[in-house]
Amino acid sequence: MAAVEGPVVGGRIVSHCGKCRASTRHIVISVVAGRAVKVQCAACEGVHRHRESRAGSVPGPTPGASSGREPGGLGGPQTPEAAWHAQMKGLDPRAAISWGGGARPQAGDLVEHPSLGFGLVLRVIPPHRVEIQFRDGVRLLRWGG
C-alpha cells in the first residue's frame, strides 16, 4: 500500500474561494504540519487561507479547470482553452522545458510538446506519467523511460 502524500508547495488542491464563491482549483503557497495553509485561486488569483471545499461545490472532473466561470464573465462552463489561458497567465514561454528533454518536470512547470504546444504540468504520477493542461484539454502522457 502506497503512503498517502500531503499537499506540497506548488501543488494543486481544491479549496473554497470566498471571492469566487465556489470551490475551485488552487495552487498551494504554504504548508504547515502536512496541511495546506495558504493557497492562490487559479480562477481569480486571490491569495487566502485554505478552506475545505463545501459539499456540492467541488469543481467538475476536468483537472486544471478553475471555477467553471469565465474570468469576468456571467457564468457558464469554462472551456479547456479558457482554463489553459488562465493557468498560462504570467508564465514565460522561454522558460518551458522541451518535451522529453532530460529530467521529468514537477507540478507547476511549463513544458513545450512538439505537437500539442505549451502546457502546464498539473501533477506527476510515478514512475513515468505526467498530467498536463494543454490548450485543448488535460492530457495524461508518458515522460521518458
Side-chain angles (χ1 to χ4, degrees), residues 109-132:
D109 285 349
L110 182 63
V111 296
E112 183 177 13
H113 189 277
S115 60
L116 298 171
F118 291 101
L120 184 69
V121 176
L122 300 176
R123 66 185 177 136
V124 177
I125 305 167
H128 301 292
R129 294 188 183 252
V130 288
E131 187 176 63
I132 303 173

